[in-house]
Amino acid sequence: ASSLTLILQQVQIVGIVAAAQAIVILTAGIDLSVGAIMVLSSVVMGQLSYSLGVPTPLAAAFRDVITPTVFIL
């Protein structure tokens, strides 16, 4: 049971993004930028927390607020 829990924890973010993307595609819209935003957000958070030593909650907050804002502009 612990291995199934571990697998579900590792794929939860991808599953949420995939479900949202499926809804967009089913409503006759196509938005391929979702994958690009997800990748850029992951890279930004990884660089902030690993290379620069920023605490993980602060890096996650930056990822959730600043990165999508850059894509909107």
Side-chain angles (χ1 to χ4, degrees), residues 4-70:
L4 180 60
T5 303
L6 180 62
I7 291 171
L8 290 175
Q9 287 175 349
Q10 291 175 350
V11 300
Q12 66 184 347
I13 300 299
V14 176
I16 292 169
V17 172
Q21 186 67 27
I23 292 170
V24 170
I25 291 172
L26 288 174
T27 58
I30 276 234
D31 186 11
L32 299 177
S33 66
V34 173
I37 293 172
M38 184 176 160
V39 168
L40 180 66
S41 298
S42 298
V43 169
V44 166
M45 184 178 169
Q47 287 296 322
L48 285 174
S49 62
Y50 183 74
S51 297
L52 301 177
V54 175
T56 304
L58 184 60
F62 183 83
R63 175 201 66 200
D64 294 341
V65 174
I66 300 301
T67 307
T69 305
V70 170

